[in-house]
Amino acid sequence: MVERFIARRLYGSTEGARGGSRPAIIIATAGISVGLVVMIITLAVSLGFRHQIREKVTGFTQHLQISNYYSALGKDEQPISCTDTLLAQISSLPYVDHAQRYIDKPGILRTDSAFQGFILRGAGPEYDFSFFESYLKEGTVPNVCDSAQTLEFMLSRHLADCMGVSIGDRIDVYFVQDQVKARRLTLTGIYETGFAEYDQYYAVTDIRTLQRLNNWSGDQVMGIGIGLSDEKYLTPSYIQVRGIMDPYGKAHDETYAIQTMEQLNSGLFAWLDVLNVNVAVILILMLGIAGFTMISGLLIIIFERTRTIGLLKALGADNVTIRKIFLHMSAYIVGRGMLIGDAIGIAICLIQQHTGLIPLDASNYYLDSVPMEVSLWWLVILNAVMFLLSILMLLGPSQIISRISPATSMRFE
């Protein structure tokens, strides 16, 4: 209690100081604030990138994909059989949110003035369109639930702009197989996720259009996409799905490849791992800068309060008590700097999160604006770690107090 009382008085007073302690306190407070702001923004951007990219990758590929083994190797376009019973069995697994059939087929969009390569995805009646609906800019998603085949499809904004088409246009689509086959599809919707990796290529239509194009039966599809209730269940879900598909494959004389979204997008997730390394480097540098600022400030304060230290020793205070006084004072400086840093950092993140003021080139960064994600738990951890490390770094410099004697301190004016 005595140490905290004296520390509060010293923190708020400039009496007896030669004019350097107050600027030192201000500089140390600013150093802590700036360091914390940079760390909050760095973590928010890193987590925002990871969350948004994973969310968009999951929207296109799902957490798990089941496909023919030879198709996964890129050798051939081989179908797998998927009955309603199998789909229901997979959907009933504990962590599975939904399972959906699909067919992906490369083709060429053609109008009188342009042509463009793309991938047409065939979606079954159970397909979860909530991802595309959240990014729908015009029109509606194609109707894939009617009993009759529909010739509707949905394009990305990028493809629609390249082709110069709009909602309601009928567009010729060509597929190169043993012979060139054509279909005329009606554009019903335009989406834009800002994820150029997929927006540049993907369109969506009724799965029956592609089944007839490939001369496949109603149970034959290219693959099954499996969305999970939470990504943390990826490993147990993989094991459970493998337990279903192995006996099913033996019964149907088929071999399956079950791939996670990270395996399907290994280059993209490797880039995210590199981003994590950069974040770690920035955090370490900011902690070092903040600690150096605090150490410099503490040393200035100790030198300016040499007479006070000598007086306290003359009155019977030991070195441990005096060190506690200055460490308490340092804690006030760190705490105030952190409060200011938290306020500024969180404000910047929330403004960017809701307005997207800072843009990005989607072709290079996969997103059209800088993503920022603020979470209470990592803010608490970051503040706790920074506070503890700042105080621990001050234990060494505070040892200088033990070298100050009452007789020597009286020479300081």
Side-chain angles (χ1 to χ4, degrees):
M1 293 295 294
V2 174
E3 292 92 341
R4 285 198 295 270
F5 173 78
I6 297 175
R8 282 197 298 268
R9 293 297 300 271
L10 291 176
Y11 177 73
S13 172
T14 58
E15 292 180 8
R18 295 194 296 271
S21 60
R22 182 52 52 183
I25 291 174
I26 294 172
I27 292 172
T29 303
I32 292 291
S33 300
V34 172
L36 189 57
V37 168
V38 172
M39 286 190 282
I40 288 174
I41 293 175
T42 301
L43 276 175
V45 171
S46 172
L47 293 174
F49 261 112
R50 180 169 288 276
H51 180 263
Q52 286 200 26
I53 288 177
R54 295 183 84 90
E55 177 191 19
K56 292 179 180 181
V57 168
T58 303
F60 281 103
T61 67
Q62 305 304 305
H63 293 98
L64 293 170
Q65 272 192 11
I66 305 171
S67 60
N68 186 285
Y69 177 76
Y70 298 102
S71 293
L73 292 177
K75 293 183 178 180
D76 202 350
E77 191 178 79
Q78 293 287 337
I80 63 173
S81 58
C82 178
T83 62
D84 291 338
T85 302
L86 174 64
L87 205 64
Q89 190 177 2
I90 295 173
S91 300
S92 65
L93 292 174
Y95 310 121
V96 173
D97 183 62
H98 62 273
Q100 56 196 32
R101 292 165 283 204
Y102 72 91
I103 297 175
D104 284 347
K105 191 171 186 64
I108 299 174
L109 291 166
R110 181 183 178 277
T111 63
D112 293 337
S113 59
F115 64 92
Q116 178 72 37
F118 79 121
I119 297 174
L120 185 61
R121 167 161 293 183
E126 74 286 343
Y127 199 91
D128 181 11
F129 276 100
S130 59
F131 170 74
F132 287 105
E133 287 172 343
S134 64
Y135 292 102
L136 199 63
K137 299 302 180 182
E138 297 180 44
T140 60
V141 298
N143 183 4
V144 299
C145 297
D146 285 348
S147 56
Q149 173 190 358
T150 64
L151 293 174
E152 300 176 351
F153 82 132
M154 174 177 62
L155 280 178
S156 68
R157 170 68 69 188
H158 173 82
L159 288 172
D161 290 343
C162 287
M163 300 303 298
V165 295
S166 57
I167 298 297
D169 288 351
R170 300 183 69 190
I171 306 169
D172 292 327
V173 182
Y174 295 88
F175 303 93
V176 180
Q177 300 179 171
D178 296 333
Q179 59 183 353
V180 177
K181 295 186 178 181
R183 293 291 186 272
R184 178 164 288 184
L185 305 180
T186 302
L187 182 60
T188 62
I190 296 175
Y191 74 90
E192 184 178 22
T193 68
F195 193 26
E197 187 80 1
Y198 286 92
D199 280 4
Q200 291 177 359
Y201 304 107
Y202 272 87
V204 184
T205 190
D206 187 347
I207 196 171
R208 286 163 293 192
T209 300
L210 298 183
Q211 284 174 330
R212 294 185 182 184
L213 192 70
N214 291 339
N215 295 317
W216 291 354
S217 68
D219 288 339
Q220 288 184 307
V221 297
M222 178 173 282
I224 305 169
I226 303 172
L228 306 180
S229 56
D230 196 309
E231 192 179 322
K232 66 184 179 183
Y233 301 127
L234 191 61
T235 300
S237 296
Y238 177 92
I239 296 171
Q240 291 169 349
V241 171
R242 175 61 71 183
I244 292 174
M245 296 308 298
D246 283 347
Y248 184 85
K250 291 178 181 178
H252 291 79
D253 193 25
E254 293 177 345
T255 305
Y256 305 114
I258 304 176
Q259 298 171 286
T260 67
M261 62 179 187
E262 292 189 0
Q263 291 171 330
L264 292 165
N265 300 273
S266 56
L268 180 60
F269 286 100
W271 175 73
L272 288 177
D273 291 338
V274 172
L275 183 64
N276 288 340
V277 174
N278 294 338
V279 169
V281 171
I282 292 173
L283 292 180
I284 292 172
L285 287 175
M286 288 300 101
L287 281 172
I289 292 171
F292 177 79
T293 306
M294 275 301 307
I295 290 171
S296 302
L298 179 62
L299 290 175
I300 293 172
I301 293 168
I302 290 174
F303 289 141
E304 293 224 336
R305 297 290 178 178
T306 302
R307 291 187 63 186
T308 304
I309 294 170
L311 179 60
L312 290 171
K313 286 188 174 183
L315 293 174
D318 57 17
N319 289 325
V320 174
T321 301
I322 300 174
R323 285 182 66 192
K324 286 182 179 179
I325 291 172
F326 283 91
L327 288 176
H328 278 299
M329 187 176 177
S330 301
Y332 295 142
I333 297 172
V334 173
R336 184 178 181 184
M338 289 174 60
L339 286 175
I340 297 172
D342 280 330
I344 296 173
I346 293 172
I348 292 173
C349 292
L350 292 178
I351 291 171
Q352 175 63 19
Q353 189 175 11
H354 290 91
T355 63
L357 287 175
I358 306 174
L360 286 176
D361 182 358
S363 62
N364 292 323
Y365 296 98
Y366 308 108
L367 301 173
D368 54 9
S369 65
V370 176
M372 291 191 179
E373 182 176 321
V374 180
S375 175
L376 179 61
W377 71 267
W378 66 253
L379 275 175
V380 171
I381 293 174
L382 178 63
N383 278 267
V385 169
M386 186 169 186
F387 184 83
L388 289 175
L389 288 180
S390 297
I391 298 301
L392 288 174
M393 283 189 287
L394 296 175
L395 292 177
S398 65
Q399 287 280 7
I400 198 172
I401 291 171
S402 62
R403 300 183 181 182
I404 299 175
S405 65
T408 304
S409 66
M410 298 308 292
R411 292 200 298 269
F412 284 82
E413 294 296 336

